Amino acid sequence: MQTLNVALGERSYPIHIGPGLLRQAERLLPHLAQPRVAIVTNTTVGPLYLEALSGTLAGAGVEVIPIILPDGEQYKNWETLNQIFDALLTHRAERKTTLIALGGGVIGDLTGFAAACYQRGVPFIQVPTTLLAQVDSSVGGKTGINHPLGKNMIGAFYQPKLVLADTDTLNTLPDRELSAGLAEVIKYGLIRDLPFLEWLETNLERLVARETQALTYAIYHACRNKAEVVAADERESGQRALLNLGHTFGHAIEAGMGYGNWLHGEAVAAGTMLAAELSRRLGYLTDTDLRRIAALFERARLPVKAPALGVETYLAYMGVDKKVEEGRIRFVLLERLGSAFVTAEVPAEVLRATLAQTTH
Amino acid sequence: MQTLNVALGERSYPIHIGPGLLRQAERLLPHLAQPRVAIVTNTTVGPLYLEALSGTLAGAGVEVIPIILPDGEQYKNWETLNQIFDALLTHRAERKTTLIALGGGVIGDLTGFAAACYQRGVPFIQVPTTLLAQVDSSVGGKTGINHPLGKNMIGAFYQPKLVLADTDTLNTLPDRELSAGLAEVIKYGLIRDLPFLEWLETNLERLVARETQALTYAIYHACRNKAEVVAADERESGQRALLNLGHTFGHAIEAGMGYGNWLHGEAVAAGTMLAAELSRRLGYLTDTDLRRIAALFERARLPVKAPALGVETYLAYMGVDKKVEEGRIRFVLLERLGSAFVTAEVPAEVLRATLAQTTH
């Protein structure tokens, strides 16, 4: 097991990474304010891991309220959030009752937002069971739901008390979701960690083969990079925006294709290629750089070509993106491999030319 | 005009109190992050004050998005909150667009919660137009909505950048709502400020007559008391609970009578009399003390007798209250006039006897 501390003053918390953590009551107990928790999971993850986690807690004298939600990004909405509130109120969950998110990013976002809002804030623990959630959604405190007019438009910054990333849970993850998680792992190398990017170029097949040691290393270094960024900029005013490499394009892809058809990580991979292409057109990256990025994504079995939605559709979806400021779109670009920056100085014609390339 | 600073570190903000503030752009402008705001109001307050406030801002070059909601506690729910989100997204409100709450406590709670959640947090200004909102809901950062299973169960702690309490807006307030606000004003005297309680005993009729100077004095001292409590305990772990004098009973009254039938302040007045009666039965207050409290409420035209809901109904509604901890109910009691304390040591039979008195 490796442990990383996310340094956020009085909101600091540990991330434990490694195999078998679901069975270790001693990891959870010190963080519970009362011997009562609600475990929020879904109909896919519940049958696989709810009994194990509940058993660990019940064996330590902790009462468990199970809350099982439908599975899928299309359920990341108010109706599903309200199912959590209904269950908490029906079971008279109190201000010291801890909410545990057992599942992927959707479960983490829903549960974290429910914890932020229920009685104006109750304790919250993340037990992410997908690679994407382990390296991304469980670090940084972003929680929330989608709105018909925009993804992640309603939410809160809310930190967990603890994150348990049990690498054993990745053994049941579908290949496509493992790949989607690798998109975010590769992102950390691209934006701020060239040595990690080079480690990935050497070891990517070990991750695809789900070797525990390689996974633990990759999750640790992805989380370390994200934790460093978040610690410096908890409320996303400055460098935290760099984490959104590929996301402005990616959100447009997800929205344009209909939420749930492209996985978030798949959209980020194709979106990152658009951001890289934009960086190349503005003179930052070379053709060789782009080939290195594409090769990594392809070895991770990720799409490198964005769908041909049409330039205007892309622009429309990008216009309601949260990264809009004073009506101008801010882009995360790569100045070289291992270093990203934010700019609002992208000429409209270069953006259009980049987007037009998706139709070729 | 009087100004009070609420000291909460980097979340500190000023409260301006006095006549004519809606017309003073210079109070608002320094607090706007961009020259664009959304004013959230309702169908009662909008026709009275929206044009004045919009005009003040538009005259200073600020773009205004008006959002007009239905009026009433029964609309303090997700559907109404979502009307705010719909309008913000339709108008492409950004992270620096300030939300201004123009109205009473319901508008303040809804708008504050919308500001806390929209894009995970946007700036927020309170322009409370009821006495209750000026002395209570605009100080302390509590925001939220009701749930069918409990009042204020979903929400956030979220501080405004500024509060403008324009005493002129109280001239259009219905008598019953002015009285409801006085219930909270009297509460501050009861829980921690005997000199203010004595000032109220001397000046209550001036408040009922809506004398600007008396209102400014009373609002200032109510807010000062609340600000001192909140500054010491922003997240309601300790002494902030004292602000809930009468509220555990009051919430049961509001719920038991059907939300919207008793005003919050009316329920707090009758609930405070129950808390005072419980304090008397436990040996803290004298019959004379109770008569002094009842006399103040009656001069403010407030109910001093709680409705005969039945003991079991009261207990049931009190059981899901947020002030429940480990299954025990914590009560705010008066140890004497001007001093309150919290206890979980209330014998069940004394509580039942107090509640049984409501049926006589």
Side-chain angles (χ1 to χ4, degrees), chain A residues 129-200:
Chain A
T129 61
T130 68
L131 182 57
L132 179 61
Q134 289 181 354
V135 300
D136 188 60
S137 1
S138 62
V139 189
K142 283 192 181 182
T143 70
I145 57 177
N146 297 328
H147 183 281
L149 297 176
K151 194 172 148 71
N152 290 320
M153 281 289 158
I154 315 300
F157 284 97
Y158 200 68
Q159 303 297 341
K161 300 289 181 200
L162 163 74
V163 176
L164 280 191
D166 185 335
T167 51
D168 285 348
T169 62
L170 303 182
N171 291 327
T172 51
L173 195 66
D175 288 344
R176 200 178 151 199
E177 293 203 36
L178 187 80
S179 295
L182 290 173
E184 297 279 355
V185 172
I186 292 166
K187 181 189 77 178
Y188 291 105
L190 288 172
I191 62 171
R192 68 192 305 276
D193 195 343
L194 186 58
F196 183 45
L197 190 72
E198 291 168 345
W199 182 89
L200 288 168

Side-chain angles (χ1 to χ4, degrees), chain A residues 34 78 85-86 89 92 94-96 116-117 119-120 142-143 147 153-155 236 320 322 326-327, chain B residues 34 78 85-86 89 92 94-95 116-117 119-120 142-143 147 153-156 236 320 325-327:
Chain A
Q34 67 174 192
W78 169 258
F85 294 140
D86 286 343
L89 284 162
R92 302 201 173 186
E94 297 167 2
R95 283 194 170 164
K96 291 184 177 175
C117 297
Q119 300 204 6
R120 300 197 190 90
K142 283 192 181 182
T143 70
H147 183 281
M153 281 289 158
I154 315 300
E236 199 171 28
V320 291
K322 288 192 299 300
E326 305 278 357
Chain B
Q34 67 174 192
W78 169 257
F85 294 140
D86 287 343
L89 283 162
R92 300 198 174 189
E94 297 167 0
R95 282 194 169 164
C117 297
Q119 299 205 8
R120 301 197 189 91
K142 284 191 181 182
T143 71
H147 183 282
M153 280 292 157
I154 316 299
E236 199 170 27
V320 291
E325 190 169 294
E326 305 275 356

Side-chain angles (χ1 to χ4, degrees), chain B residues 112-140:
Chain B
F113 190 38
C117 297
Y118 184 64
Q119 299 205 8
R120 301 197 189 91
V122 296
F124 164 50
I125 288 175
Q126 292 261 30
V127 184
T129 61
T130 67
L131 181 58
L132 179 60
Q134 290 181 354
V135 301
D136 188 59
S137 0
S138 63
V139 190

Side-chain angles (χ1 to χ4, degrees), chain B residues 249-301:
Chain B
F249 293 113
H251 284 166
I253 293 170
E254 282 185 273
M257 297 301 286
Y259 286 120
N261 291 309
W262 279 52
L263 295 179
H264 177 68
E266 293 169 344
V268 165
T272 297
M273 290 312 302
L274 284 177
E277 172 63 23
L278 188 53
S279 305
R280 188 192 65 78
R281 286 176 182 266
L282 292 170
Y284 295 105
L285 295 187
T286 64
D287 286 336
T288 309
D289 292 331
L290 260 70
R291 277 193 296 272
R292 278 179 71 181
I293 302 172
L296 260 180
F297 284 141
E298 285 172 340
R299 286 164 65 194
R301 301 168 307 195

Side-chain angles (χ1 to χ4, degrees), chain A residues 215-296:
Chain A
L215 285 169
T216 301
Y217 182 95
I219 295 165
Y220 179 88
H221 285 277
C223 289
R224 175 184 58 73
N225 273 292
K226 181 155 189 184
E228 286 170 8
V229 173
V230 169
D233 179 19
E234 190 178 353
R235 306 284 302 188
E236 199 171 28
S237 43
Q239 66 157 301
R240 185 157 171 173
L242 302 182
L243 299 176
N244 292 323
L245 176 69
H247 283 60
T248 299
F249 293 112
H251 284 165
I253 294 171
E254 283 185 271
M257 298 299 286
Y259 287 122
N261 291 309
W262 279 53
L263 295 180
H264 177 69
E266 294 169 342
V268 165
T272 296
M273 290 312 301
L274 284 176
E277 173 62 22
L278 188 53
S279 306
R280 188 193 65 79
R281 285 175 182 266
L282 292 170
Y284 296 107
L285 295 187
T286 64
D287 287 337
T288 310
D289 292 332
L290 260 69
R291 277 194 296 272
R292 277 178 71 180
I293 301 171
L296 259 181

